[in-house]
Amino acid sequence: MREIEETLESKGIRPTAMRILIYKYMVEKEIALALTDIENAFIKSDRTTLYRTLKTFEENGIVHQIDDGTGTAKYAICEEHCNCELEQDLHLHFHCNSCDETVCLTEHKIPHINLPEGYKAKDVNLVVKGICDKCSGQ
Amino acid sequence: MREIEETLESKGIRPTAMRILIYKYMVEKEIALALTDIENAFIKSDRTTLYRTLKTFEENGIVHQIDDGTGTAKYAICEEHCNCELEQDLHLHFHCNSCDETVCLTEHKIPHINLPEGYKAKDVNLVVKGICDKCSGQ
DNA sequence: AAGTAGGTGCAACAGAAGTGCAATTATTGA
DNA sequence: TCAATAATTGCACTTCTGTTGCACCTACTT
Ligand SMILES: [Mn+2]
Ligand SMILES: [Mn+2]
Ligand SMILES: [Zn+2]
Ligand SMILES: [Zn+2]
């Protein structure tokens, strides 16, 4: 708890009760979460607060946003020393068509992509869809 | 014109006036288009018609849908012998942060991605963002 | 020409994202 | 300590994209 407070403070944001709870929840879940997911977990709090909390987290490099192709944005806690606010977040994401969960595969970095003449890459997004380990293990 | 009719018929859909015009428009544009883009180009036609036309096109392998990370779906004409209805569409897409256009880089196939034990890939989406050739050439 | 299947237009709805403003809570410093 | 100030939260409302139901129209079939 104290640890989470320090993490938030170290990233320059004030560790309010709400923020600590949301951070804790996201760490425990281990999968990427949509605003709606968090909304359902914190029914006593307002959507806008959760929305702005995620935005603040993102702006301060606490979470990164993931576009997994489902149409709704997902968010996941950044790794310890990730600096995705500065550079791009290089790991790939996996979306399971069976359980509908999206996870960060932080160990799996995105390979270098070469582009035609004149194109300059700033960011790369790689999402693999299929069946996750939990679902294929049945 | 006759050519477009034949293309549509060969894919099993009726070549109505509307469909021919939309197909023609998408071929000429050469970039991936959102429903709204097409809507603005065909103000006399209804959103729903355009929406369902794109859906029909997609279901019959005439266009493929692209999620470029902007939050709105884009559509682009499929290559001559692409069979993205059956397998996944393997080329990568590029979104320019300057002109906001998304293009298919059909020559650039997505490299093989290896996944952790238990994960099974069915589809891969790779989007590179940055500055396109037209915009960097200035 | 009548019947039928497919295509189109209108209206309405759902969900996600985003904004303005007032109320509340936390921090500052006199 | 306590008023002033700044940050955070909650409520209401809007916009945008995607989607569906239903009625009407149009084009093929026999
Ligand atoms: Mn991630
Ligand atoms: Mn493409
Ligand atoms: Zn799964
Ligand atoms: Zn450009």
Side-chain angles (χ1 to χ4, degrees):
Chain A
M1 218 62 181
R2 179 85 221 125
E3 209 176 306
I4 295 174
E5 274 185 59
E6 278 162 16
T7 305
L8 297 181
E9 267 170 350
S10 76
K11 302 274 180 149
I13 65 165
R14 299 218 296 229
T16 66
M18 203 65 247
R19 288 174 177 166
I20 293 170
L21 285 173
I22 295 171
Y23 186 94
K24 194 163 172 290
Y25 183 72
M26 293 185 79
V27 170
E28 282 167 0
K29 273 290 177 181
E30 285 183 339
I31 60 172
L33 298 171
L35 173 57
T36 310
D37 298 328
I38 298 173
E39 208 183 332
N40 293 334
F42 295 89
I43 42 172
K44 287 171 75 178
S45 183
D46 187 74
R47 240 176 58 75
T48 316
T49 304
L50 303 171
Y51 169 73
R52 287 198 261 237
T53 299
L54 287 174
K55 208 170 179 184
T56 304
F57 279 7
E58 193 187 359
E59 281 162 6
N60 293 279
I62 291 168
V63 304
H64 58 279
Q65 195 177 335
I66 302 158
D67 173 15
D68 61 7
T70 58
T72 58
K74 302 277 163 61
Y75 300 85
I77 299 285
C78 290
E79 287 179 273
E80 192 74 39
H81 297 295
C82 118
N83 47 359
C84 56
E85 339 87 273
L86 306 174
E87 311 166 27
Q88 67 266 44
D89 191 20
L90 288 164
H91 63 270
L92 69 92
H93 294 110
F94 187 91
H95 176 77
C96 177
N97 296 136
S98 175
C99 65
D100 212 50
E101 286 182 357
T102 299
V103 290
C104 297
L105 297 180
T106 49
E107 303 305 312
H108 291 66
K109 303 305 176 190
I110 296 175
H112 175 259
I113 309 294
N114 53 343
L115 297 167
E117 190 69 26
Y119 286 81
K120 281 164 194 157
K122 286 270 154 61
D123 193 11
V124 184
N125 183 231
L126 176 55
V127 179
V128 180
K129 296 188 191 204
I131 307 295
C132 78
D133 57 342
K134 280 183 288 181
C135 291
S136 71
Q138 294 171 351
Chain B
M1 218 64 181
R2 180 83 222 126
E3 208 177 307
I4 295 174
E5 274 185 59
E6 279 162 16
T7 305
L8 296 181
E9 268 170 350
S10 76
K11 302 275 180 147
I13 65 164
R14 299 218 296 230
T16 67
M18 202 66 247
R19 287 173 177 168
I20 293 170
L21 285 174
I22 294 171
Y23 185 93
K24 194 161 171 289
Y25 183 73
M26 293 184 79
V27 170
E28 282 167 359
K29 273 290 176 179
E30 286 184 337
I31 60 172
L33 298 171
L35 172 58
T36 309
D37 298 328
I38 298 172
E39 207 185 333
N40 293 334
F42 295 89
I43 42 172
K44 287 170 76 176
S45 182
D46 188 75
R47 246 177 85 70
T48 315
T49 305
L50 302 172
Y51 168 73
R52 285 197 263 238
T53 300
L54 287 174
K55 210 169 177 184
T56 304
F57 279 6
E58 193 187 358
E59 281 162 7
N60 292 278
I62 291 169
V63 303
H64 57 280
Q65 194 177 337
I66 301 158
D67 172 15
D68 61 7
T70 58
T72 58
K74 302 276 162 62
Y75 299 85
I77 299 286
C78 289
E79 286 179 274
E80 193 73 40
H81 298 295
C82 117
N83 47 0
C84 54
E85 338 88 273
L86 305 174
E87 312 166 28
Q88 66 268 42
D89 189 20
L90 288 165
H91 64 270
L92 69 93
H93 295 109
F94 187 91
H95 176 78
C96 177
N97 294 136
S98 175
C99 64
D100 211 52
E101 287 182 357
T102 299
V103 290
C104 296
L105 297 180
T106 49
E107 303 305 311
H108 291 68
K109 304 305 178 192
I110 295 175
H112 175 259
I113 309 294
N114 54 342
L115 296 168
E117 191 69 26
Y119 286 81
K120 282 166 193 157
K122 286 271 153 60
D123 193 10
V124 184
N125 183 36
L126 177 55
V127 179
V128 180
K129 296 188 189 202
I131 306 296
C132 78
D133 57 343
K134 281 183 288 182
C135 291
S136 71
Q138 295 173 350

